[in-house]
Amino acid sequence: MMEIITAEQLMEYLGDYILDAKPKEISEIQRLNYEQNMSDAMAILHKLQTGLDVNVKFTGVRVFEYTPECIVFDLLDIPLYHGWLVDPQVADIVKAVGNCSYNQLVEKIISCKQSENSELVSEGFVAEQFLNNTATQLTYHGLCELTSAVQEGELCVFFRNNHFSTMTKYKGQLYLLVTDQGFLTEEKVVWESLHNVDGDGNFCDSEFHLRPPSDPETVYRGQQDQIDQDYLMALSLQQEQQNQDINWEQIPEGISDLELAKKLQEEEDRRASQYYQEQEQAAAQVQQVQGAASPASARQSASNERKRKEPREKEREKEKNSCVLL
């Protein structure tokens, strides 16, 4: 019964769900494993407000390097997909990419370029060409695999170009939830079809009926604004990671949920305090600038006033020194 939900409320709901979803009748080993996963997930839950770092592998639409970020999707029972796959029919690319994740493949390309072995150099070149040719992070083979893997009516998450999109399947066609700023005033535009790798899908309403935007130019500007905001968000995320005070990897394994929640709350309070301090400093700087400008304005006003008075005083002085003939 809510039209608007804040990020803080959403984080609270997700945290409660993770705690409530804990299996009851499981073995001791399974319980310890689940609690460890739950601890890892709660530690990075706050990153959902800015962005998660996941590392794809090019062998399957649900194959990612297993990291704490992926644990969140597992605990919430939300399928995570991508479509950046190597076509198995292209043997040289299959050999060059292998079972590498994206990060591993980048390292491999750098290593191969520095090798004296001509075969490795050639392999590195093929891998680099693959990354360049699939810069959209979606291939037609991946799109076919996605269409086959996603179930009819399934709600899931699609990862592409460092973005997470809500995805579903309706009558055999994949659709992504529209969230760009340019569509804020487009009440009828809800879904965008995912039927090619170029990103020019068809827009639909909540019933999957075609609904082109009423003002394409406004939508385009909004999309550009969204891209700019995403870039700033990425910089903010990078800065946050550099300034991270709490090293979650050093948290004791036996820490209770209550203690972990307290640590998370302390970190959140610290960030909120830092944010408000920065806002107050910015406001103070603005006031200083305005205060510095005020005396100058006052001097200018006084000068203008003197200029207005001087002619009148000269006229009165002239009147004193003159006589009137009757």
Side-chain angles (χ1 to χ4, degrees):
M1 303 301 294
M2 298 173 64
E3 293 185 357
I4 298 176
I5 182 170
T6 65
E8 289 76 13
Q9 287 174 311
L10 184 58
M11 294 303 104
E12 182 179 345
Y13 292 152
L14 292 176
D16 291 341
Y17 179 84
I18 290 176
L19 293 175
D20 293 341
K22 182 178 179 180
K24 300 295 186 283
E25 298 180 0
I26 54 177
S27 66
E28 182 67 15
I29 296 178
Q30 290 175 323
R31 184 185 66 81
L32 293 175
N33 183 58
Y34 185 88
E35 289 181 351
Q36 180 61 49
N37 289 340
M38 185 169 61
S39 176
D40 293 339
M42 296 291 280
I44 59 97
L45 200 60
H46 66 279
K47 291 184 180 180
L48 287 172
Q49 299 183 57
T50 52
L52 297 178
D53 181 21
V54 298
N55 194 15
V56 306
K57 290 192 173 184
F58 307 96
T59 55
V61 293
R62 295 203 61 179
V63 183
F64 295 82
E65 181 183 348
Y66 199 67
T67 60
E69 283 80 359
C70 293
I71 293 174
V72 174
F73 294 94
D74 288 346
L75 291 180
L76 296 174
D77 195 24
I78 298 175
L80 176 62
Y81 293 93
H82 73 90
W84 201 0
L85 300 187
V86 172
D87 189 339
Q89 296 182 351
V90 186
D92 58 338
I93 299 181
V94 171
K95 180 183 177 182
V97 175
N99 193 38
C100 292
S101 65
Y102 172 77
N103 291 343
Q104 291 171 341
L105 187 60
V106 171
E107 294 175 359
K108 178 180 178 179
I109 292 172
I110 296 174
S111 176
C112 288
K113 282 185 173 182
Q114 298 173 348
S115 175
E116 296 180 356
N117 188 324
S118 60
E119 184 176 347
L120 288 178
V121 172
S122 176
E123 197 169 296
F125 176 76
V126 171
E128 186 176 33
Q129 284 295 108
F130 167 73
L131 293 184
N132 292 336
N133 294 336
T134 58
T136 60
Q137 297 187 6
L138 178 64
T139 64
Y140 279 107
H141 174 67
L143 186 57
C144 292
E145 290 293 309
L146 270 175
T147 306
S148 175
V150 178
Q151 302 299 311
E152 183 72 16
E154 177 182 6
L155 274 177
C156 53
V157 173
F158 176 60
F159 177 77
R160 181 187 185 187
N161 288 333
N162 296 327
H163 279 71
F164 294 89
S165 303
T166 300
M167 182 169 65
T168 191
K169 187 177 181 180
Y170 178 76
K171 292 185 176 180
Q173 174 65 56
L174 298 176
Y175 292 89
L176 302 178
L177 189 66
V178 173
T179 57
D180 284 348
Q181 273 191 329
F183 295 90
L184 282 175
T185 58
E186 301 287 339
E187 296 181 359
K188 298 296 184 180
V189 176
V190 180
W191 298 99
E192 180 182 7
S193 64
L194 179 65
H195 60 265
N196 60 43
V197 301
D198 298 323
D200 52 345
N202 299 318
F203 296 107
C204 306
D205 60 14
S206 59
E207 302 297 326
F208 300 96
H209 300 144
L210 287 177
R211 294 282 184 177
S214 58
D215 187 355
E217 183 62 28
T218 301
V219 169
Y220 174 75
R221 288 197 302 270
Q223 288 175 320
Q224 289 300 117
D225 291 342
Q226 186 71 43
I227 292 173
D228 294 339
Q229 284 199 2
D230 292 339
Y231 175 70
L232 293 175
M233 183 66 73
L235 291 179
S236 174
L237 179 60
Q238 182 180 4
Q239 185 68 26
E240 177 189 350
Q241 291 174 342
Q242 292 174 349
N243 298 333
Q244 189 74 15
D245 291 340
I246 296 179
N247 187 352
W248 297 104
E249 295 178 356
Q250 296 180 357
I251 293 180
E253 293 186 2
I255 188 171
S256 66
D257 295 337
L258 179 59
E259 292 172 338
L260 178 59
K262 287 181 178 179
K263 284 185 175 293
L264 287 171
Q265 188 61 50
E266 289 173 359
E267 174 66 9
E268 193 65 32
D269 292 342
R270 183 192 66 78
R271 290 179 184 169
S273 176
Q274 181 180 357
Y275 171 78
Y276 289 122
Q277 287 178 0
E278 292 174 352
Q279 294 298 312
E280 290 176 357
Q281 291 175 358
Q285 291 176 356
V286 171
Q287 291 178 355
Q288 289 177 358
V289 172
Q290 292 175 343
S294 297
S297 300
R299 288 194 297 270
Q300 183 67 26
S301 177
S303 176
N304 293 338
E305 184 65 25
R306 284 196 300 272
K307 289 179 180 179
R308 287 194 296 270
K309 287 182 178 179
E310 286 176 358
R312 290 197 296 270
E313 291 174 354
K314 288 181 179 179
E315 289 177 2
R316 283 196 293 270
E317 186 68 25
K318 184 177 180 182
E319 290 174 0
K320 285 181 183 180
N321 300 330
S322 61
C323 61
V324 178
L325 297 176
L326 298 175

